[in-house]
């Protein structure tokens, strides 16, 4: 009499990898799309309806302007994952494992520093001084209203200044909120084993090459015109 073989355990489903958080500038993208539409409209019209050297000059100008506008407006983004952050700037892509990040700085621009002392600007997170002033005014009103609200709550009712809203922490501008999130993720993951590695920097040749070709073409056409 034979005994049946024990059933092998069913394989566990793979754990899906967490997706990166993506940070971009909605205002920059909107402005870039408008500029691209205007440049393409004028440029294509000149290529189709122009005479003499005008179509060639317009084509060279489009080859120069379109990737340049896209590089500074639509392209910039910051991708933050569990193990590293990837910074996509106009002409470079920088991959920084959290273990290689030394600090973040927010002044007139948002920047990240590596352990080697290199500085990389976060083009996708532009600083808005107007936004900071607006957030400071809102925070002042919140603090003043919160003080009255706490008095009302101690008295058994809801304070008139609280408005029924619960605020966690001070009011911050949008870019400063994102920098706070990046700092928190860095603090939580910088000592992880998977957050080690080397900083990698790659030039965005798909942007650089058309821009250079367009500049050379414009120089030749204008110089020999």
């Amino acid at each position: 009499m034979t005994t049946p073989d024990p059933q092998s355990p069913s394989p566990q489903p793979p754990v899906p990898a967490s997706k990166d958080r993506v940070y971009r500038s909605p205002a920059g993208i909107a402005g870039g799309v408008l500029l691209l539409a205007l440049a393409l409209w004028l440029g294509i019209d000149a290529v189709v309806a122009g005479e003499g050297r005008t179509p060639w000059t317009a084509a060279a100008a489009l080859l120069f302007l379109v990737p340049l506008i896209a590089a500074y407006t639509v392209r910039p983004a910051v991708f933050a994952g569990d193990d590293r952050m990837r910074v996509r700037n106009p002409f470079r892509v920088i991959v920084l494992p959290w273990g290689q990040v030394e600090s973040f700085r927010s002044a007139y621009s948002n920047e990240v520093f590596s352990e080697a002392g290199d500085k990389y600007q976060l083009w996708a997170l532009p600083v808005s001084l107007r936004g900071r002033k607006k957030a400071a005014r809102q925070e002042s009103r919140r603090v003043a209203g919160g003080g009255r609200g706490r008095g009302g709550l101690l008295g058994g009712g809801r304070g008139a200044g609280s408005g029924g809203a619960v605020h966690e922490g001070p009011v911050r501008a949008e870019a400063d909120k994102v920098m706070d999130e990046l700092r928190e993720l860095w603090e939580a993951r910088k000592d992880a084993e998977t957050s080690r590695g080397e900083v990698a920097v790659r030039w965005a040749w798909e942007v650089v090459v058309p821009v250079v070709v367009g500049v050379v073409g414009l120089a030749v056409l204008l110089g020999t015109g």
Side-chain angles (χ1 to χ4, degrees), residues 45-118:
D45 180 70
V47 170
V48 173
E51 299 179 354
R53 299 165 66 96
T54 300
W56 293 102
T57 304
L62 283 176
L63 194 59
F64 164 65
L65 288 175
V66 168
L68 192 66
I69 293 172
Y72 279 97
T73 58
V74 180
R75 174 182 170 81
V78 174
F79 304 86
D82 289 339
D83 302 327
R84 82 287 181 271
M85 68 179 297
R86 181 161 58 96
V87 181
R88 193 169 69 191
N89 281 343
F91 298 106
R92 293 192 299 177
V93 176
I94 304 102
V95 179
L96 287 148
W98 292 121
Q100 287 290 336
V101 175
E102 197 274 331
S103 64
F104 291 89
R105 185 174 70 182
S106 298
Y108 293 104
S109 63
N110 289 314
E111 300 160 346
V112 58
F113 290 82
S114 69
E115 290 285 350
D118 297 319

Side-chain angles (χ1 to χ4, degrees), residues 9 58 62 73 76 81 93 96 106 130-132 157 159 168 171 185-186 211 214 223:
L62 283 176
T73 58
V93 176
L96 287 148
S106 298
R130 181 181 178 184
R132 284 180 175 174
E168 295 182 359
V171 179
L185 187 56
W186 165 58
V211 170

Side-chain angles (χ1 to χ4, degrees), residues 10-33:
S10 58
Q12 297 294 327
V15 179
S18 60
K19 294 183 178 179
D20 290 352
R21 306 178 192 180
V22 183
Y23 302 100
R24 308 182 77 173
S25 171
I29 294 175
V33 170

